[in-house]
Amino acid sequence: MNLINITLPNFIYQIDNYAFEGCTNLESVTIPDSVTSIGDFAFRGCTSLTSITIPSSVTGIGKNAFLRCTSLTSISIPSSVTSIGVEAFSDCSSLTSITIPAKVTSIEDFAFSGCSSLTNITIPSSVMSIGRYAFSGCTSLTRITIPSGVTSIGVGAFYRCSSLASITIPVGVTSIEKSIFYECTNLGSISIPSSVTSIGVEAFSDCSSLTGITIPSSVTSIEKEVFYGCRSLKRITFSGTSEDWNSITKGTNWNGLVPATKVVCSDGEVSLK
């Protein structure tokens, strides 16, 4: 479509599903204060849209609302927003930063996946869960603070975040899911809380800068290829006893291609060879 600029009238109360989908020439949109919601797929594929201001009347952003808006460099999300849908900003590859409002309680699946220019993001203390692949492929993301109220981080949440250098998982998270930090090649340190009981398949696979890790005594299972390809991992510490370590269920190649030859436990060392 040839639509370039649009100003919506004040009697509009919502932007419906698919309203401007595929308007590849659309560069700017003025949304009036009367609008309370932005529907699913509303601006999907608007590849020329560079910025947008969402008014404080809006409370919800639908799924795929800005999917593949590849020229979108900035967006202001007002404090009135309580929900951001699945894949809402997925593949917005020019988006550099974003602040999530304090009323949002969950970051949905794939919400910011493929935002390859995103360097920082602020997650408010209201957030309790981070969905599957929420930040996957955010290759410029160097740091992220996960608030203490988060109890669930989904599969592949930080998959291939290759610039992420360090991260602290909050107490309350009980499982480190599959592929959560897969190919986070710049990850040098990570803190695993004592609430964690399981570490999923390929959770830290190919984290080639990871030099050391402390596994809490609460862990009862380490799935296959968890640390596979962590070629700098020379120090593995376990906060429990040697007996506790030996009782952990361990998957195939959980430490494949890892240089560490032992695990340091609270009462001694256990050989890995």
Side-chain angles (χ1 to χ4, degrees):
M1 295 179 66
N2 292 322
L3 191 64
I4 297 175
N5 304 293
I6 189 167
T7 299
L8 299 175
N10 287 326
F11 58 79
I12 297 293
Y13 295 102
Q14 65 180 29
I15 298 175
D16 287 336
N17 298 345
Y18 305 96
F20 300 99
E21 182 190 26
C23 292
T24 55
N25 293 318
L26 184 64
E27 296 176 0
S28 67
V29 179
T30 301
I31 302 175
D33 290 341
S34 56
V35 171
T36 59
S37 65
I38 298 174
D40 300 343
F41 305 94
F43 296 95
R44 181 172 69 169
C46 292
T47 54
S48 297
L49 189 65
T50 57
S51 66
I52 193 166
T53 299
I54 299 172
S56 58
S57 53
V58 171
T59 59
I61 298 173
K63 67 180 181 182
N64 300 96
F66 296 95
L67 175 68
R68 291 196 294 276
C69 289
T70 53
S71 296
L72 190 65
T73 58
S74 65
I75 189 163
S76 175
I77 302 176
S79 59
S80 55
V81 169
T82 60
S83 63
I84 298 173
V86 173
E87 290 189 294
F89 297 96
S90 185
D91 291 332
C92 289
S93 55
S94 297
L95 193 64
T96 57
S97 66
I98 196 161
T99 299
I100 298 171
K103 292 181 181 179
V104 173
T105 58
S106 66
I107 297 174
E108 300 294 340
D109 298 348
F110 298 91
F112 300 97
S113 67
C115 291
S116 54
S117 296
L118 191 66
T119 57
N120 65 82
I121 189 162
T122 301
I123 300 177
S125 59
S126 56
V127 170
M128 295 181 288
S129 64
I130 297 173
R132 296 179 304 124
Y133 297 96
F135 299 98
S136 62
C138 291
T139 54
S140 298
L141 188 65
T142 56
R143 61 183 179 84
I144 190 166
T145 300
I146 302 175
S148 59
V150 170
T151 58
S152 173
I153 303 175
V155 169
F158 300 97
Y159 181 91
R160 287 180 172 163
C161 288
S162 55
S163 296
L164 191 64
S166 65
I167 196 164
T168 299
I169 299 171
V171 174
V173 172
T174 59
S175 176
I176 297 178
E177 299 290 349
K178 174 183 177 181
S179 304
I180 192 169
F181 298 106
Y182 181 89
E183 283 190 9
C184 289
T185 53
N186 200 45
L187 188 65
S189 66
I190 187 162
S191 175
I192 301 176
S194 58
S195 54
V196 169
T197 60
S198 63
I199 303 176
V201 175
E202 295 182 332
F204 298 97
S205 185
D206 288 327
C207 289
S208 53
S209 296
L210 192 64
T211 58
I213 190 111
T214 297
I215 300 171
S217 59
S218 54
V219 170
T220 58
S221 67
I222 298 174
E223 301 295 335
K224 68 177 184 179
E225 299 183 0
V226 163
F227 298 106
Y228 186 88
C230 293
R231 297 174 185 272
S232 299
L233 186 58
K234 296 179 180 180
R235 186 182 72 259
I236 300 176
T237 304
F238 178 64
S239 59
T241 65
S242 301
E243 183 179 358
D244 292 335
W245 173 260
N246 289 326
S247 69
I248 293 174
T249 302
K250 303 176 187 71
T252 306
N253 275 337
W254 72 270
N255 62 331
L257 303 180
V258 169
T261 59
K262 61 187 178 183
V263 175
V264 179
C265 302
S266 61
D267 61 347
E269 298 176 351
V270 176
S271 175
L272 293 177
K273 300 299 182 181

